[in-house]
Each structure stands twice: as structure tokens, then as C-alpha cells.
Amino acid sequence: MSFWSNWRFGGGNGFDSGSASSYAIELTKRRQVVSLTKQGAASGNLRVNLSWRMRTSDIGGPGRSGASLLRHPLQLFKPEVVQAQGPAVVQIDLDLACLYELKDGTKGVVQPLGSFFGDINSPPYVKLSGDDRFGSGSGETIYINMDHRDDIKRLLVFVYIYDGTPAFDRTHAVVTLYPSNGPRIEIGLDERAPQARSCAVVLIENNKGEMTVRREVKYVYGFQAELDRLYGWGLQWGRGYKSKV
């Protein structure tokens, strides 16, 4: 049976995400792991958010100065563009996604591509809310139902550039985890990785009942299939496209 048949879809976005914390833990190469269990956050909904904005200072563009925004306030709501190598000008579309493996062996992916948005109250207990194509302030969000942590073996949260020039270091992308208790957890994706199309960001694992979050930040030049091979998920992949808006 194909893993596609294991996917179930839920409706509605009325999720509780826990109270916001006023401080954050930044996962770095020196501090790579944090335990959700030890900080009392292995329950409720874990909110995972991707946000990004173009760094015009890196591409020689004029940017959006405060004076310019005062004169043209609607510019704030228009997506910025990044200058590719050569004359072409492109927009970058970052997608947030999650590979999942449950304790019963069920495996799959939650992602905008193919409209596989998951389910928060049924397997895989992971739900993607929306697809932000322009790097807005709210970004994209995945909700994980930690009340079903005993059903979860591992979750790999990753980001890929669906469209546009590979330029992770120019997007100033940040993935932030908002647990039900304790500080938020931040992972920056601003390392220089020329031509990388995808990045494994964090691995959430159930280690003998303890839920941990491990920083990965591993860039690859391909897409989901390459991440799959890197982490041994063993899924079958095919080419997919988004519907036009």
C-alpha cells in the first residue's frame, strides 16, 4: 500500500498554540538540543512557524526605507524581489513542511505541494495551516498535537524553495517553535549555501518517552527525495506542482 493512502485530511484552523513567551532559546551549533518534556511542554499544540523576508542589503537593491514607506505605505504589503545572477528578477517562494513517522510505522509528509495539509486530531497529528507565497509577517505554520506524543516516533521539519533562485542566505528565514509552556525556540536559516534548494531544520523525536528538539540545519541541493535519503524515511516521490493563484 502506498504511503499516500495513509494521509487523512482535517478541516478548520481553530488551534490553541499555548501562551507566548517573552524570551527565546536559539538553537545553534553549540546548543543543538532542547527537551520539551523537561520544560513541561510535551502536551497541547506545538506551533512551528516559518517567516522570512528578502534582505535587499545583500543584493544591492534600494530596500524599503522608513521614508519610502511613509510616502508609499502600500509597499509594505508587496513582496520584495531578489536579483538573480544576471538580468532576471525573481521572487522566492519558501515552503514549510514536515516528514513524519509514527510508532505504528506510518510514514508520510505534510506540505503545501499536493495540498497534503495533514490532520491535527487524527494521524499524523500534524497540520499545516496555509501556504504563504510572499513572505508575509505571519508566514506559514505547522501545528503538532503533542497530546499524541506517544504515537509519534519522529518528525523532520524542513523548508524548501519551491520557486525562485536558490538563496537561503538572502531570505533571512527563521523557524520558530512555540511550545505550550516555556520559551519559544528559534532556528535561523541564514547560512550561505549556494544553490541549496532544501534545508532540514529540526528533528523532533520521542526518545523513550522524552520529546526532544534537535537542530539540524542541513542544506541539500535537491528536494524532498534527497532529504528522505539523508534521513532514511524510505518514501516514494513523484514530481508535483502547486495550483496557480
Side-chain angles (χ1 to χ4, degrees):
M1 178 181 293
S2 169
F3 74 92
W4 303 91
S5 62
N6 290 325
W7 293 352
R8 300 175 62 184
F9 300 88
N13 295 325
F15 305 122
D16 295 325
S17 57
S19 58
S21 175
S22 60
Y23 62 104
I25 294 174
E26 182 180 2
L27 294 187
T28 64
K29 291 180 179 179
R30 291 188 175 183
R31 182 177 186 177
Q32 297 184 340
V33 182
V34 64
S35 172
L36 297 177
T37 301
K38 290 180 179 179
Q39 69 180 43
S43 61
N45 286 327
L46 171 64
R47 179 162 57 99
V48 183
N49 178 259
L50 165 68
S51 61
W52 79 93
R53 57 182 172 81
M54 301 314 303
R55 289 173 26 167
T56 54
S57 60
D58 288 346
I59 59 179
R64 295 182 182 178
S65 65
S68 175
L69 287 176
L70 286 175
R71 291 194 301 269
H72 307 286
L74 292 180
Q75 287 183 354
L76 182 64
F77 302 99
K78 295 181 180 180
E80 292 191 55
V81 296
V82 56
Q83 180 71 43
Q85 297 297 324
V89 177
V90 298
Q91 295 177 359
I92 292 182
D93 179 12
L94 293 185
D95 278 349
L96 179 67
C98 179
L99 281 164
Y100 62 82
E101 181 178 0
L102 304 183
K103 289 288 187 69
D104 66 2
T106 303
K107 299 178 182 179
V109 66
V110 172
Q111 62 179 17
L113 190 63
S115 298
F116 295 110
F117 292 107
D119 196 310
I120 191 69
N121 294 313
S122 300
Y125 310 110
V126 179
K127 173 75 174 179
L128 174 66
S129 178
D131 176 16
D132 172 23
R133 302 192 183 188
F134 303 111
S136 68
S138 59
E140 295 184 7
T141 300
I142 284 176
Y143 295 87
I144 301 168
N145 189 341
M146 299 297 289
D147 290 335
H148 285 272
R149 60 190 177 277
D150 291 339
D151 298 304
I152 297 171
K153 181 177 181 180
R154 58 175 179 160
L155 306 170
L156 179 68
V157 176
F158 64 97
V159 175
Y160 60 94
I161 299 176
Y162 172 76
D163 191 22
T165 299
F168 271 108
D169 58 314
R170 300 179 187 178
T171 61
H172 194 60
V174 177
V175 171
T176 306
L177 284 67
Y178 296 88
S180 59
N181 184 55
R184 66 186 184 273
I185 303 166
E186 296 182 349
I187 306 96
L189 305 182
D190 53 2
E191 296 179 13
R192 296 195 176 276
Q195 304 306 311
R197 282 282 180 181
S198 305
C199 179
V201 182
V202 294
L203 187 64
I204 302 170
E205 293 184 288
N206 188 335
N207 296 307
K208 298 181 180 179
E210 181 181 4
M211 299 301 296
T212 60
V213 176
R214 175 181 295 275
R215 178 188 184 271
E216 296 293 317
V217 191
K218 294 181 179 178
Y219 295 91
V220 299
Y221 297 103
F223 292 96
Q224 292 90 329
E226 190 168 343
L227 288 171
D228 184 313
R229 288 192 294 270
L230 183 63
Y231 287 89
W233 237 265
L235 303 180
Q236 298 296 320
W237 298 93
R239 184 176 297 276
Y241 302 90
K242 290 185 183 180
S243 60
K244 294 183 179 180
V245 293

